[in-house]
Amino acid sequence: MRLLSSATARLVALIFVLQIAMTGGVLLLARNAIVQQSARDRQEIVAEVANDLRAWHARGGDAALATEITSRLDTLRGENLVLLLTAADGRVIAGNLAAWPPVVARTTNWQTIDLFRTGADRAERLGISATTLPGGSHLLTGHVIESDVRYAQVSQRVLIAAFLFTVPLALIVAAAMTRAINRRVAGIADTASAVAEGDLARRVPLDGSGDSFDRLGDGVNAMLARIQTLVEELRIVTGSLAHDLRGPIFRLTATLEEARNATDDPVATAAMERVSVEAAALQTMLATAMQIAQAEAGIGRDRFGDVDVAAMLGDIGELYGPAAEDRGITLVVTPFEGHFRLHRELVSQAIGNVIDNAMRHAAGATRITVSAILSEAALTISVADNGVGIAVADRATALRRFGRLDPSRHAPGAGLGLSLVEAVAHLHDGNLALGDNAPGLRVEMTLRTQG
């Protein structure tokens, strides 16, 4: 059933059926046209002979016609002509048939029948016409059409053979056409997937043929170029805004600190404490937004180095372990051996963000496990908790920049933590994925080997 629902299978079937129908129709039409034309030729010959003989009868009656029939049969001995003249009472006057065939009417335009000619050792297929002459005598005129029958049989066998040859050929052609179409569509689909995963520089490959797929690919590429320009402009604006706001926020924090030191009013001091906390949160938010913008712009790859992943994870465990313990959570870093080329500070911060999220938002969690798997070309670092997890429908929101789920809306934070993790993964040509830890959430950051 899945095969039948496939557009590719339906396209192959459609092309196959159309080719078979067209080929079979053309062959059948050609065969019928040839057979029918041959039959018409025989009928015209018989009609001409019959008209000629009727003219002889008009000039000299039955006797003259009998003489002419006998003469023609003697002259054309061995030919495929069939002639018979009978009197009104059925008596044979002349011809090469022993008697009037009982299944043939006295008057008929055209009829095919198997008959024995006089002297023949077997019946032959004949096409005949019959007419009643003035005076009551009857004239039968015919022609042997066995060659036509044999030709029709041979052409039918040829038609069947050609049809059987066409079946696999049509299947091969249909498969080849479908493969060519699929290859062009796959190029567009691969580009769309790459762009969806963040590779905005990816473009649809063109072959320069100018066909419909080339025009579609050209249009898609123009659209992607425009999107890439807009995204780059947005990143530049975001990064510039975050950078320009750092100075005013820093001066605001310093001014608040000076004012707090200069007053003894407890109410004013408490208010300035709250403003300082909000200013610090805003400063952190701006710093994170700048890091995301820089990572997405590819800034920082010059700081990639060969890193002892086990040492890095060990440092993270020592840094976040006490905070987790204060919340009643056990932070476990599974043993790992291996080195990988990466940006140590950014990757450490990304892992820390995920651990911090788990400690603050994974309700009911008692254990957080950090592990790593190294393959030939990728390093996958996982942070898994046994809390409530995130529903599949909410995971896209959790990954969205400034996206916050309902349970965490009243907790400190701006919804940029996972965005930074994803940007760091993309900086390493990798990706970020949220999964089910059954129970809990599993966050996997995959980093790939840099060329």
Side-chain angles (χ1 to χ4, degrees):
M1 294 299 292
R2 293 185 61 184
L3 180 62
L4 294 178
S5 64
S6 165
T8 301
R10 291 199 297 270
L11 182 59
V12 171
L14 178 61
I15 296 174
F16 176 76
V17 170
L18 288 177
Q19 286 186 331
I20 291 296
M22 291 176 61
T23 304
V26 169
L27 290 174
L28 187 61
L29 184 64
R31 182 256 183 191
N32 289 340
I34 294 173
V35 171
Q36 290 172 5
Q37 182 60 46
S38 179
R40 283 193 294 271
D41 291 344
R42 300 299 183 191
Q43 291 180 39
E44 289 177 359
I45 292 173
V46 170
E48 288 178 2
V49 172
N51 290 334
D52 192 32
L53 293 179
R54 279 197 295 269
W56 276 96
H57 184 269
R59 289 193 294 269
D62 290 345
L65 179 56
T67 301
E68 176 62 19
I69 290 174
T70 302
S71 174
R72 290 194 180 196
L73 292 177
D74 290 341
T75 303
L76 302 175
R77 188 179 300 277
E79 296 295 329
N80 294 324
L81 194 60
V82 178
L83 299 173
L84 179 63
L85 175 64
T86 62
D89 59 1
R91 177 175 49 85
V92 174
I93 300 174
N96 56 354
L97 292 180
W100 189 273
V103 296
V104 176
R106 298 297 183 182
T107 300
T108 179
N109 289 329
W110 183 256
Q111 181 179 350
T112 59
I113 186 173
D114 292 333
L115 291 176
F116 284 88
R117 286 191 292 173
T118 301
D121 56 356
R122 63 180 180 85
E124 299 169 300
R125 192 68 176 175
L126 306 176
I128 60 173
S129 67
T131 184
T132 300
L133 300 172
S137 58
H138 304 284
L139 174 63
L140 184 150
T141 311
H143 201 280
V144 178
I145 59 172
E146 284 204 325
S147 60
D148 295 348
V149 174
R150 286 195 298 272
Y151 176 79
Q153 293 172 344
V154 170
S155 63
Q156 184 173 2
R157 289 196 292 270
V158 171
L159 176 64
I160 294 173
F163 190 78
L164 293 177
F165 175 75
T166 302
V167 170
L169 185 63
L171 191 59
I172 293 173
V173 171
M177 291 180 63
T178 303
R179 183 178 181 182
I181 293 174
N182 282 343
R183 181 173 54 81
R184 301 298 299 274
V185 172
I188 298 175
D190 290 345
T191 300
S193 298
V195 172
E197 293 178 358
D199 183 7
L200 296 182
R202 185 74 169 269
R203 294 293 181 269
V204 176
L206 306 177
D207 61 10
S209 63
D211 61 8
S212 298
F213 284 105
D214 245 27
R215 292 198 299 274
L216 174 62
D218 195 42
V220 171
N221 287 344
M223 179 185 67
L224 293 177
R226 179 60 177 160
I227 292 174
Q228 185 180 19
T229 300
L230 293 175
V231 171
E232 291 297 332
E233 290 176 351
L234 182 60
R235 286 175 177 171
I236 292 173
V237 170
T238 302
S240 299
L241 184 62
H243 182 272
D244 293 343
L245 286 176
R246 291 182 64 187
I249 295 297
F250 178 77
R251 291 192 292 273
L252 174 63
T253 303
T255 303
L256 284 172
E257 185 65 23
E258 292 176 0
R260 190 170 54 187
N261 294 333
T263 183
D264 295 328
D265 184 350
V267 176
T269 300
M272 285 186 284
E273 284 284 353
R274 291 195 295 274
V275 174
S276 294
V277 170
E278 294 298 332
L282 182 57
Q283 198 167 23
T284 301
M285 187 187 307
L286 293 174
T288 304
M290 283 193 63
Q291 287 179 315
I292 293 173
Q294 291 173 346
E296 289 178 340
I299 298 174
R301 287 198 171 106
D302 57 331
R303 297 182 61 184
F304 281 13
D306 185 61
V307 174
D308 183 343
V309 179
M312 180 184 70
L313 296 182
D315 292 344
I316 293 173
E318 291 181 4
L319 179 63
Y320 287 91
E325 188 176 348
D326 290 343
R327 295 172 182 265
I329 300 173
T330 302
L331 178 61
V332 178
V333 178
T334 58
F336 177 80
E337 294 290 340
H339 289 67
F340 198 80
R341 182 174 173 77
L342 50 80
H343 192 306
R344 193 181 197 283
E345 288 75 18
L346 283 180
V347 172
S348 297
Q349 183 174 350
I351 298 171
N353 280 0
V354 179
I355 295 174
D356 186 62
N357 279 349
M359 290 191 298
R360 292 190 294 118
H361 303 304
T366 58
R367 182 183 178 91
I368 299 174
T369 303
V370 180
S371 59
I373 298 176
L374 180 63
S375 65
E376 184 177 350
L379 171 68
T380 300
I381 300 174
S382 302
V383 178
D385 64 67
N386 60 347
V388 295
I390 297 178
V392 175
D394 294 332
R395 290 173 187 170
T397 302
L399 290 174
R400 195 172 61 220
R401 197 166 299 182
F402 298 108
R404 305 194 68 186
L405 302 179
D406 287 338
S408 61
R409 288 190 181 281
H410 302 293
L416 292 175
L418 288 180
S419 297
L420 176 61
V421 178
E422 189 171 35
V424 171
H426 288 169
L427 181 66
H428 292 76
D429 292 337
N431 62 281
L432 177 67
L434 305 184
D436 191 353
N437 194 45
L441 179 68
R442 172 177 288 273
V443 181
E444 291 188 348
M445 180 173 61
T446 300
L447 313 177
R448 305 191 187 284
T449 302
Q450 303 297 304

